[in-house]
Amino acid sequence: MVDALARLAEEGRFARCIDTADQMISQGGWTPAQLAAIHLISCRCRLQLQDAHGALRSGAAAAALARQEREYDLLGRALLYQGTAHAALAQYDQALRCFYDYFTHMTGYREARQLEGAVWKHLGVTYQRRLEPEKAAYALEEARRWFAARNIAYGAFTSTHDLINVYLYMAETDRSKFHAIRSLLTEQRAVAQRHPAEPYYAGTYLLDLAAWLARSGRPRQAAVAAARSLEVYRGDRTHAFHCHLLLHRCQLAWGDGRRALGHLLAAWSDAVAAGNPELEHLAAESLADVLEREASEIMRELGALQPSSASAPRLPLHGSVRRDLQ
């Protein structure tokens, strides 16, 4: 029965899996190790459905039973899931404790050793959200090394993406990070070229390239890369959100507030469709900023009694970034 429950999770039938797990728990008759596994599967599914509070409850039950039975493989996975849930709720101290606790039980792991790269990655992202970029960069470099040593392309690529975001933040005070980002982008491009049938790689590379170009003062080239990324991600509302948000910033850099507002409204729509409160919050903050600027501009125009006749330049929406890394 536990194997059947795991298959539901693997098939992506998360709500059905949670309901089945609840029924199994209420029926009883399970060994402590089996019960820990059931709670753990339920925890994973709740994370997939963005039910962080429910995931914490299931994860805590799984961890307690796993500790009691010295089932370290179950414990290692439970600690990773618990940390992920805490981070989703912005409970960063608790998340870090879970991730570091994972490492304290390394000698007892067999299968859970394969989670080490993921733990390093989540550790880095948590430090990033705590605005501790040096610690974030260290953890993400460890994640990159771990995945690369095992030829796990996806893990290495996503860790590189997170590291680029950290370096972009650090570049505000240390411009040498722009050179480090350029090297990471070269690696990303090589991976994308090796996997032409998987749009995630090309789309993420183009979006990271656009962010690097925008931050280094090249909004026109950044807009081209972001628009190409948007074409790749058409239908993926979460990634489209980030594309529109970056295009919004490029338009602001050109002084075209109305076009910026159009992209921002598209980003808002994508965030709502994706059902992601964090993205909705980012869109709302940016929308408030744009509306405030637009209102101030309108008031200035009314005060001067002479509307501006200057036309803003239009963004190119197609074409290639031929000199993206030259």
Side-chain angles (χ1 to χ4, degrees), residues 194-207:
R194 289 198 300 270
H195 300 274
E198 300 179 47
Y200 169 78
Y201 294 111
T204 302
Y205 159 67
L206 287 167
L207 189 57

Side-chain angles (χ1 to χ4, degrees), residues 103-173:
F103 289 107
T104 67
H105 301 287
M106 287 291 288
T107 57
Y109 298 148
R110 295 182 303 276
E111 294 178 3
R113 282 186 175 274
Q114 298 306 310
L115 302 175
E116 184 179 349
V119 175
W120 277 117
K121 183 178 184 299
H122 283 282
L123 192 61
V125 172
T126 302
Y127 274 126
Q128 178 188 8
R129 292 178 175 177
R130 276 169 55 106
L131 301 182
E132 297 184 61
E134 290 81 9
K135 293 179 180 179
Y138 176 83
L140 291 169
E141 284 286 11
E142 288 295 315
R144 274 167 39 83
R145 278 192 285 271
W146 192 93
F147 286 120
R150 291 157 181 80
N151 294 315
I152 303 175
Y154 182 81
F157 189 90
T158 57
S159 299
T160 300
H161 165 68
D162 291 327
L163 185 58
I164 287 173
N165 285 332
V166 172
Y167 281 165
L168 283 171
Y169 176 82
M170 298 174 75
E172 293 180 5
T173 55

Side-chain angles (χ1 to χ4, degrees), residues 257-279:
R258 286 172 175 78
R259 282 178 180 258
L261 181 58
H263 282 296
L264 191 51
L265 291 173
W268 172 275
S269 176
D270 287 329
V272 172
N276 191 318
E278 184 177 354
L279 298 186

Side-chain angles (χ1 to χ4, degrees), residues 5-86:
L5 188 68
R7 282 196 295 274
L8 285 175
E10 291 298 329
E11 293 168 1
R13 300 165 68 183
F14 303 125
R16 172 71 181 277
C17 186
I18 291 168
D19 289 341
T20 304
D22 288 343
Q23 292 174 11
M24 292 169 68
I25 292 168
S26 65
Q27 289 169 359
W30 307 100
T31 68
Q34 288 174 325
L35 192 56
I38 294 169
H39 280 297
L40 193 59
I41 294 169
S42 179
C43 177
R44 175 189 171 192
C45 291
R46 292 179 189 278
L47 283 174
Q48 292 290 338
L49 296 177
Q50 299 182 23
D51 177 13
H53 289 288
L56 279 180
R57 290 192 297 271
S58 297
L65 289 164
R67 287 182 195 275
Q68 170 189 309
E69 298 300 307
R70 297 186 179 182
E71 291 282 350
Y72 291 110
D73 283 329
L74 292 176
L75 178 59
R77 192 170 293 277
L79 290 169
L80 171 58
Y81 292 170
Q82 277 186 289
T84 304
H86 279 302

